[in-house]
Amino acid sequence: MNKDVFISVGRTASEEQEMFVKAIEDYIRSQGLNPRAVGRNDFTADNPLKFIQKLMGSCAGTVIVAFERTQIIDGVERRGSSEQKTLNNQILTTVWNQIEAAMAYVLGHPMLVVVENGAKTEGLLDAGFDWYVQRVALTPASLSTREFIGVFSDWRRKVESKSTASRVVQVDKMTLGDIFGSMKPAHLWGVVATLVALVTGAFYVGMLVPHLIK
């Protein structure tokens, strides 16, 4: 039986995004794995965060597909501080990429991170952690490059060697100490924004309509 892998991906808003996500799903299947994505082939009428937690617990790895959710035409970051800077045509991805990346890390999932060129990659989508961040053009042709094929093959080997008996992590009941304790010191500064998003998501998730969670 093919092993399940979790796909963290926002709702597509354009034909370009949809074609890219379908291409990744097809590629994953062609490599003997079964992609599972909330809102695409898995649905729930219950608490979305708990459903994601349960689904990820049955998977052996996670793929983060991060593309434009929001575009900032003209903005300011760290307004009023000595580090203030302007933002022009800045692409932001869905916060659920961060939340689900944090959950995958705590579960010990091998992670494959694919980010659209030009997107802001702070938190767990940034380079320098235990996984390689690939920046790609949002086109199926990006899946045919030597880089993508090589990184995917290495990730697949890790997934295939991982037991599917993943431990279930009660994310909504974890303390910050629990989360910090499961991470390496080198990760802590890079995931502050992710932890804030995680806690906020857990608090407000009961108010979200399931089809709007991405």
Side-chain angles (χ1 to χ4, degrees), residues 64 66 93 113-117 119-121 125 133-137:
I64 307 294
T93 66
V113 182
V114 180
V115 181
E116 180 182 3
N117 283 334
K120 189 174 178 63
T121 53
L125 301 185
V133 177
Q134 294 186 76
R135 288 183 171 274
V136 302

Side-chain angles (χ1 to χ4, degrees), residues 16-24 65 114 136-139 143:
E16 178 187 43
Q17 291 177 349
E18 181 63 25
M19 288 179 63
F20 184 72
V21 174
K22 284 183 176 178
I24 287 184
V65 183
V114 180
V136 302
L138 218 61
T139 169
L143 310 186

Side-chain angles (χ1 to χ4, degrees), residues 163-180:
S163 170
T164 55
S166 301
R167 57 194 175 96
V168 176
V169 178
Q170 299 291 335
V171 177
D172 57 336
K173 296 181 180 179
M174 290 180 71
T175 66
L176 289 179
D178 294 331
I179 298 174
F180 278 128

Side-chain angles (χ1 to χ4, degrees):
M1 179 181 294
N2 293 346
K3 282 193 173 182
D4 290 347
V5 292
F6 184 84
I7 313 296
S8 172
V9 59
R11 286 186 297 145
T12 58
S14 67
E15 183 178 354
E16 178 187 43
Q17 291 177 349
E18 181 63 25
M19 288 179 63
F20 184 72
V21 174
K22 284 183 176 178
I24 287 184
E25 291 173 331
D26 290 343
Y27 189 89
I28 290 171
R29 293 187 186 100
S30 74
Q31 299 300 307
L33 299 171
N34 183 39
R36 306 289 298 273
V38 177
R40 293 187 67 83
N41 47 33
D42 287 275
F43 304 89
T44 182
D46 298 323
N47 182 310
L49 192 62
K50 290 184 177 179
F51 179 71
I52 293 169
Q53 168 197 316
K54 181 178 179 181
L55 180 59
M56 293 183 77
S58 68
C59 293
T62 293
V63 180
I64 307 294
V65 183
F67 50 72
E68 179 184 329
R69 167 67 182 266
T70 303
Q71 181 185 28
I72 298 176
I73 303 298
D74 187 15
V76 178
E77 185 173 67
R78 300 184 184 275
R79 185 166 64 91
S81 76
S82 60
E83 299 177 354
Q84 177 175 314
K85 64 178 182 180
T86 58
L87 300 176
N88 300 110
N89 295 319
Q90 179 70 70
I91 295 174
L92 304 180
T93 66
T94 174
V95 68
W96 284 89
N97 286 146
Q98 295 281 352
I99 294 172
E100 289 161 352
M103 294 171 71
Y105 183 88
V106 173
L107 283 167
H109 278 193
M111 276 203 283
L112 179 69
V113 182
V114 180
V115 181
E116 180 182 3
N117 283 334
K120 189 174 178 63
T121 53
E122 58 189 353
L124 287 176
L125 301 185
D126 207 351
F129 296 115
D130 292 344
W131 48 89
Y132 182 69
V133 177
Q134 294 186 76
R135 288 183 171 274
V136 302
L138 218 61
T139 169
S142 296
L143 310 186
S144 301
T145 65
R146 180 179 299 180
E147 177 188 17
F148 181 85
I149 293 171
V151 174
F152 186 95
S153 296
D154 182 61
W155 171 78
R156 184 185 62 184
R157 284 192 292 270
K158 294 175 183 177
V159 169
E160 291 176 340
S161 66
K162 181 177 174 58
S163 170
T164 55
S166 301
R167 57 194 175 96
V168 176
V169 178
Q170 299 291 335
V171 177
D172 57 336
K173 296 181 180 179
M174 290 180 71
T175 66
L176 289 179
D178 294 331
I179 298 174
F180 278 128
S182 69
M183 295 183 174
K184 297 178 181 179
H187 295 166
L188 297 182
W189 288 109
V191 302
V192 169
T194 302
L195 295 178
V196 172
L198 178 61
V199 173
T200 303
F203 182 79
Y204 286 108
V205 73
M207 301 168 59
L208 299 176
V209 179
H211 72 276
L212 293 178
I213 66 172
K214 296 292 187 176

